[in-house]
């Protein structure tokens, strides 16, 4: 086999791999459908089902599904469908803020470390390793203990805790990009490092950034739901899926598991959907690198 034929086969195999990666699987489409449904529920659900999620009716406590209450009621007679709908807002907003803040900070740190290198890179690596040593949930519990329970302190603490995950991935990918010939050519032309990093290196690693952010969203949702479950996250009577699981445990003991079960199903569905989609996005990004 000639060298030209071998190169042609390699190019053909690479093209096939990229085409396979570009196609979304059935699981990916199902995941996208779930996420679109949940987002639409958070945005327009209260308009389509205008029921007060905090309206108490003790005479209707622990009712099963009915025409008046399609998903049943909780221990104080509050409509579970309304609480699921309204609870989707903090359940999605909190993780989104965590991912947005940690991604921006992580990307900035990683690109700066890669471009300047030397002691600055080593300092960034040590800082990232130090943050990585603290479990995110433990840091969030500490923050809520110091500043009081609520979504703000938890989101701020988890944003810091999630920085190492994105910073490590971006730093590794950006280092590969920085050593490619096109970067050297741009430097010879006098293009500034900031321009090279933001206009050339960053777009080429954006696929990995999006994939990591998608997966991180699921972890942030679980962490915030866990904090609400133990009473350190979203505070009652505000509807939140994690808090509903916590308050619904008393119903489980009384043979009325609907509240905890329905909120748990919503959490599992969203986390599973973002994980499947994140894995697929990671495969696509790796195939193109």
């Amino acid at each position: 086999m000639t060298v030209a034929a071998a190169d042609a086969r390699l190019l053909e195999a690479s093209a096939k791999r990229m085409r396979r990666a570009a196609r979304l699987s059935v699981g990916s489409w199902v995941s996208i459908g779930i996420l679109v449904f949940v987002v639409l529920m958070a945005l327009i659900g209260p308009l389509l089902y205008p029921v007060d999620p905090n309206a108490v009716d003790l005479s209707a406590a622990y009712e099963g599904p009915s025409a008046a209450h399609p998903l049943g009621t909780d221990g104080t007679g509050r409509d579970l469908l309304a609480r699921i709908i309204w609870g989707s807002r903090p359940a999605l907003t909190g993780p989104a803020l965590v991912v947005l803040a940690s991604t921006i900070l992580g990307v900035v740190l990683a690109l700066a470390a890669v471009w300047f290198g030397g002691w600055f890179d080593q300092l960034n690596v040590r800082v990232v390793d130090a943050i990585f040593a603290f479990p995110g949930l433990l840091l969030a519990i500490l923050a809520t203990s110091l500043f009081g329970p609520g979504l703000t302190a938890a989101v701020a603490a988890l944003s810091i805790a999630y920085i190492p995950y994105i910073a490590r991935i971006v730093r590794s990918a950006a280092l590969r990009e920085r050593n490619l010939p096109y970067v050297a050519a741009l430097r010879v032309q006098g293009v500034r490092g900031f321009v090279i990093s933001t206009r050339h290196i960053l777009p080429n690693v954006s696929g990995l950034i999006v994939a990591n952010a998608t997966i991180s969203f699921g972890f942030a949702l679980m962490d915030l739901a866990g904090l609400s479950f133990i009473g350190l996250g979203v505070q009652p009577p505000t509807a939140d899926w994690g808090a509903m699981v916590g308050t619904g445990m008393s119903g489980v003991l009384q043979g009325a598991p609907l509240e905890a079960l329905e909120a748990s199903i919503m959490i599992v569905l969203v986390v599973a959907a973002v994980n499947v989609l994140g894995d697929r996005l990671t495969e696509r990004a790796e195939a193109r690198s």
Side-chain angles (χ1 to χ4, degrees), residues 71-140:
L71 295 183
T73 61
D74 65 4
T76 58
R78 294 177 297 189
D79 188 272
L80 288 179
L81 177 56
R83 292 187 66 76
I84 288 289
I85 291 173
W86 281 92
S88 63
R89 292 188 171 185
L92 298 180
T93 303
L97 291 174
V98 170
V99 171
L100 179 64
S102 61
T103 298
I104 292 175
L105 293 174
V107 168
V108 170
L109 284 175
L111 290 180
V114 166
W115 188 258
F116 293 109
W119 67 268
F120 188 79
D121 183 24
Q122 293 302 312
L123 177 62
N124 273 273
V125 170
R126 297 297 175 264
V127 171
V128 167
D129 288 342
I131 298 174
F132 193 75
F134 289 92
L137 193 56
L138 181 61
L139 191 61

Side-chain angles (χ1 to χ4, degrees), residues 44-253:
I44 64 175
L47 299 177
L48 299 178
Y49 191 72
V51 175
D52 185 357
N54 298 321
V56 174
D57 182 6
L58 295 177
S59 64
Y62 291 133
E63 283 190 357
S66 63
H69 306 289
L71 295 183
T73 61
D74 65 4
T76 58
R78 294 177 297 189
D79 188 272
L80 288 179
L81 177 56
R83 292 187 66 76
I84 288 289
I85 291 173
W86 281 92
S88 63
R89 292 188 171 185
L92 298 180
T93 303
L97 291 174
V98 170
V99 171
L100 179 64
S102 61
T103 298
I104 292 175
L105 293 174
V107 168
V108 170
L109 284 175
L111 290 180
V114 166
W115 188 258
F116 293 109
W119 67 268
F120 188 79
D121 183 24
Q122 293 302 312
L123 177 62
N124 273 273
V125 170
R126 297 297 175 264
V127 171
V128 167
D129 288 342
I131 298 174
F132 193 75
F134 289 92
L137 193 56
L138 181 61
L139 191 61
I141 292 175
L142 178 62
T144 52
S145 300
L146 292 174
F147 302 105
L151 198 60
T152 303
V155 166
L158 287 178
S159 298
I160 296 173
Y162 277 43
I163 289 175
Y165 297 98
I166 183 66
R168 286 184 168 189
I169 291 175
V170 174
R171 178 180 178 274
S172 177
L175 275 175
R176 291 196 302 267
E177 288 291 322
R178 193 181 191 279
N179 293 325
L180 292 179
Y182 81 88
V183 174
L186 290 171
R187 295 184 68 182
V188 170
Q189 296 173 24
V191 180
R192 293 182 302 166
F194 177 79
V195 175
I196 295 175
S197 298
T198 54
R199 294 188 180 179
H200 300 279
I201 295 179
L202 181 58
N204 289 336
V205 300
S206 59
L208 286 174
I209 294 174
V210 173
N212 183 81
T214 304
I215 295 175
S216 295
F217 183 93
F219 287 108
L221 194 157
M222 288 191 296
D223 285 342
L224 290 173
L227 287 172
S228 296
F229 175 83
I230 61 177
L232 296 177
V234 176
Q235 297 298 291
T238 304
D240 175 77
W241 294 345
M244 289 177 66
V245 176
T247 57
M249 294 307 295
S250 59
V252 172
L253 298 176

